[in-house]
């Protein structure tokens, strides 16, 4: 019996060591598993919110505003582009440059909204053709745009300002609808900016034309 005791003790020690190793490994496995089972709050919470926010922040009025104002702005930019080589008044040229500088970025902004909302951005019409949007407030017909293109000097100045006053009034009307019916904060802010800027330009152009209204 004596020869077997050292062997039995060694066997018990090996078994105890192995058991400890198993326990330690199990503890380590639980710790690492807890990290993978519980991702950070930002990872689990941000994805659903980020995906739904752009779609849920706007309504049909916002879409209509962007889809209408983009071609409306494009026509104003085209009219302003004619002034550089045709206008005789430095004030008209400066006003045209200001209109283009303001409205080009707004076109890009509204196009970005429509893309984010999964809506189609209005296609650009070739040349001076805006017949697809002729029913929009303040929009000039293809015939009127063609006539403006043929003018120069003081005739151009007067025609440009008369047309732009009507065009601006249409934009103010559209922006007013957005302020009343829209839900998307940035669109309502842009609408407010359009109203303020274009009302001021209407006053300026009427003064240059010698009108009171």
């Amino acid at each position: 019996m004596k020869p077997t005791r050292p062997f039995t003790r060694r066997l018990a020690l090996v078994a105890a060591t192995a058991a400890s190793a198993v326990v330690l490994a199990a503890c380590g496995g639980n710790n690492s598993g807890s990290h993978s089972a519980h991702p950070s709050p930002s990872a689990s919470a941000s994805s659903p919110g980020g995906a739904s926010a752009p779609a849920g922040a706007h309504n049909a009025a916002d879409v209509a505003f962007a889809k209408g104002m983009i071609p409306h702005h494009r026509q104003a930019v085209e009219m302003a582009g004619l002034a550089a080589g045709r206008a005789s008044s430095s004030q008209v040229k400066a006003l045209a440059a200001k209109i283009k500088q303001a409205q080009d970025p707004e076109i890009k902004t509204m196009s970005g909204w429509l893309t984010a909302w999964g809506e189609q951005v209005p296609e650009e019409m070739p040349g001076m053709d805006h017949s697809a949007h002729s029913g929009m407030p303040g929009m000039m017909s293809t015939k009127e745009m063609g006539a403006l293109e043929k003018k120069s000097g003081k005739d151009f100045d007067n025609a440009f300002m008369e047309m732009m006053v009507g065009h601006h009034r249409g934009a103010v009307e559209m922006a007013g609808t957005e302020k009343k019916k829209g839900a998307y904060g940035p669109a309502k802010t842009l609408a407010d900016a359009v109203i303020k800027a274009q009302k001021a330009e209407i006053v300026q152009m009427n003064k240059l034309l010698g009108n009171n209204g």
Side-chain angles (χ1 to χ4, degrees):
M1 296 295 293
K2 289 182 179 179
T4 61
R5 285 178 183 173
F7 176 78
T8 303
R9 287 182 187 145
R10 285 196 298 271
L11 184 61
L13 182 61
V14 169
T17 303
S20 298
V22 170
V23 171
L24 289 173
C27 290
N30 287 341
N31 287 339
S32 62
S34 65
H35 289 298
S36 60
H38 303 284
S40 65
S42 60
S44 60
S46 64
S47 296
S52 62
H58 69 285
N59 63 14
D62 298 315
V63 174
F65 171 68
K67 286 192 172 185
M69 196 61 81
I70 287 172
H72 205 274
H73 270 20
R74 283 174 180 162
Q75 188 176 66
V77 168
E78 285 180 11
M79 291 167 67
L82 295 174
R86 292 170 174 80
S88 61
S89 168
S90 59
Q91 291 174 300
V92 170
K93 288 183 179 181
L95 175 64
K98 181 182 175 184
I99 290 170
K100 189 176 189 304
Q101 185 178 17
Q103 297 194 22
D104 261 338
E106 290 174 352
I107 292 169
K108 292 182 176 67
T109 296
M110 290 184 286
S111 297
W113 294 342
L114 290 174
T115 300
W117 297 337
E119 300 285 346
Q120 186 174 358
V121 177
E123 293 182 7
E124 291 195 51
M125 304 299 289
M128 293 287 175
D129 182 14
H130 290 274
S131 56
H133 310 288
S134 58
M136 202 176 296
M139 284 292 281
M140 301 297 123
S141 67
T142 303
K143 184 178 179 180
E144 288 172 315
M145 290 295 289
L148 180 65
E149 191 175 16
K150 294 175 183 176
K151 294 182 183 295
S152 62
K154 189 172 178 62
D155 285 344
F156 176 89
D157 295 342
N158 291 336
F160 172 82
M161 289 188 289
E162 287 170 359
M163 290 172 65
M164 194 61 81
V165 165
H167 202 271
H168 273 18
R169 284 176 177 156
V172 168
E173 180 184 336
M174 293 163 66
T177 301
E178 167 60 21
K179 286 190 68 177
K180 291 177 184 177
K181 299 182 179 180
Y184 188 56
K188 291 166 76 73
T189 299
L190 177 59
D192 189 54
V194 166
I195 291 170
K196 289 178 181 177
Q198 298 202 17
K199 276 187 173 181
E201 289 169 356
I202 288 170
V203 171
Q204 179 186 357
M205 288 185 285
N206 276 327
K207 284 182 178 178
L208 291 173
L209 287 165
N211 299 333
N212 296 321

